[in-house]
Amino acid sequence: SAWVELGIYKGRSLAWLIVAAANANKQVEVTGVDLVPQVLDSRNLSAPNLLLIPRDSAATASTFANESADVVWVDADHSREACLKDIDAWWPKLRTGGWMGGDDYEMQGVREAVCHRFGPHHEVGYGTLTDGAEPRPYPYWLVHK
């Protein structure tokens, strides 16, 4: 399967995905897209099934075939306008039956973009973020195509 993450920050979720897929003997092609090249260059991420693209997330969508991704995780620019741009650019790249989602649903721009584009046709869930002193709920959104 093919997964695309828009906005990879420190690469922890990409690393987790690659390790989880390997541990489950699953073949997953993972692409990480992040606008800031020096952030990508400093990452110690390498795997045969990983491609890192240092470009604008919405612009990068045009290099992918329609219906080529099983999962698209939208986590780049969190403004309403940028989230809408990413959602609109990547939705055609998502296979029927695939999932689009993202975290940071508590952020106003993310929430407004998701609600504007999908209305009530999205799910909200909560994971647990454990990178601080205290674990805290971490809201994410999902839409099934």
Side-chain angles (χ1 to χ4, degrees), residues 15-141:
W16 175 87
L17 176 61
I18 291 165
V19 170
N23 288 342
N25 292 319
K26 302 285 184 187
Q27 278 295 98
V28 178
E29 297 295 321
V30 179
T31 301
V33 182
D34 199 304
L35 184 61
V36 186
Q38 64 267 30
V39 173
L40 288 174
D41 293 342
S42 69
R43 301 235 165 88
N44 187 18
L45 288 173
S46 113
N49 58 341
L50 173 64
L51 173 63
L52 297 177
I53 301 175
R55 287 189 58 209
D56 174 77
S57 50
T60 301
S62 66
T63 67
F64 282 71
N66 286 347
E67 301 246 344
S68 62
D70 297 291
V71 174
V72 175
W73 194 254
V74 180
D75 192 24
D77 185 328
H78 295 84
S79 70
R80 180 183 191 276
E81 296 76 21
C83 285
L84 281 170
K85 192 174 178 183
D86 280 339
I87 289 167
D88 291 343
W90 284 93
W91 187 256
K93 310 310 173 183
L94 191 62
R95 288 187 178 114
T96 300
W99 290 90
M100 179 177 276
D103 51 18
D104 300 314
Y105 190 78
E106 78 281 8
M107 297 181 79
Q108 183 175 345
V110 173
R111 190 175 50 257
E112 286 179 1
V114 172
C115 291
H116 177 80
R117 186 56 67 228
F118 300 113
H121 305 291
H122 69 281
E123 300 174 31
V124 177
Y126 292 88
T128 302
L129 190 62
T130 58
D131 64 348
E134 294 290 323
R136 61 182 169 93
Y138 201 65
Y140 60 88
W141 62 274

